[in-house]
Amino acid sequence: MAHDRQAPGAHDGAPGAITFTVRYTKDHCLAAAWRYWQRRLGFRYALELAIGCGLLVLATQGPYRWIEVALMIAVGAFALVGAGVFFIHWYRARAGLALLDPPTSTWTLTEDAIAQRSSLGESAIAWPGLLGVWRFDDLWILVWGKDVYSTIPLAQLPRDARQMIERRARETGAVVR
């Protein structure tokens, strides 16, 4: 992991810029999909699935077979949707990783924007474009929109970058959890 206080040529030498490089792996893809699923569906999903299964059990105790069938279909569909969310995000992460050659991304944080550069190209987004920061003990997810996010493994996210992300996110109204 490379870590510089200021990247040569990044934002024309913006003072106070923090630059670091992240190396992505297949394990990171799995962790990112799992963490995204946890935050997006997680406990609430498990609770709703348990309630649906409980209602299904209760329906089997009565004479109303149509309710039983309807609940089986609903609970089954609900379970498939939840699993689908995980597998879609895992597939997207793996597809993105396959396109990266090398599987690295260089991040530059300034007071104005978050920039990312990889073999796929470059992008920079002003801090107000960041909607949320989901912090986990193994990675952080930067949320840009519904199902649009970037992930950074925590072991490769320097402490000063963490502090800047949290500070600028809060200053611009992003949710930090």
Side-chain angles (χ1 to χ4, degrees):
M1 167 182 68
H3 177 229
D4 305 313
R5 281 303 287 164
Q6 188 170 345
H11 296 286
D12 299 326
I18 300 171
T19 299
F20 57 97
T21 299
V22 174
R23 181 169 190 77
Y24 296 101
T25 65
K26 290 179 183 178
D27 289 340
H28 171 258
C29 294
L30 181 62
W34 172 244
R35 294 302 188 187
Y36 182 82
W37 184 92
Q38 270 184 303
R39 189 58 52 96
R40 216 42 194 158
L41 300 176
F43 179 73
R44 186 184 77 216
Y45 173 79
L47 181 63
E48 291 168 353
L49 194 57
I51 289 170
C53 289
L55 289 173
L56 182 59
V57 168
L58 287 175
T60 61
Q61 306 302 313
Y64 305 106
R65 298 293 293 169
W66 67 271
I67 291 177
E68 183 180 337
V69 171
L71 280 171
M72 278 194 304
I73 292 170
V75 169
F78 188 68
L80 288 175
V81 167
V85 167
F86 170 79
F87 285 109
I88 286 169
H89 286 276
W90 186 34
Y91 174 79
R92 282 178 38 192
R94 294 282 305 265
L97 179 65
L99 293 173
L100 279 176
D101 186 27
T104 60
S105 179
T106 300
W107 294 75
T108 302
L109 311 177
T110 67
E111 288 298 319
D112 298 324
I114 302 172
Q116 185 180 16
R117 183 178 69 247
S118 72
S119 61
L120 299 177
E122 296 181 40
S123 66
I125 299 176
W127 286 103
L130 181 64
L131 302 179
V133 179
W134 296 350
R135 300 173 297 173
F136 295 96
D137 58 355
D138 55 347
L139 63 91
W140 279 19
I141 298 177
L142 306 179
V143 180
W144 307 106
K146 183 172 174 63
D147 294 338
V148 180
Y149 56 90
S150 301
T151 60
I152 304 172
L154 192 60
Q156 299 179 56
L157 183 58
R159 182 177 309 283
D160 54 349
R162 290 180 215 169
Q163 292 168 345
M164 180 180 239
I165 290 169
E166 286 180 324
R167 178 179 58 80
R168 291 299 292 139
R170 284 189 172 100
E171 289 172 357
T172 58
V175 176
V176 179
R177 344 192 292 185

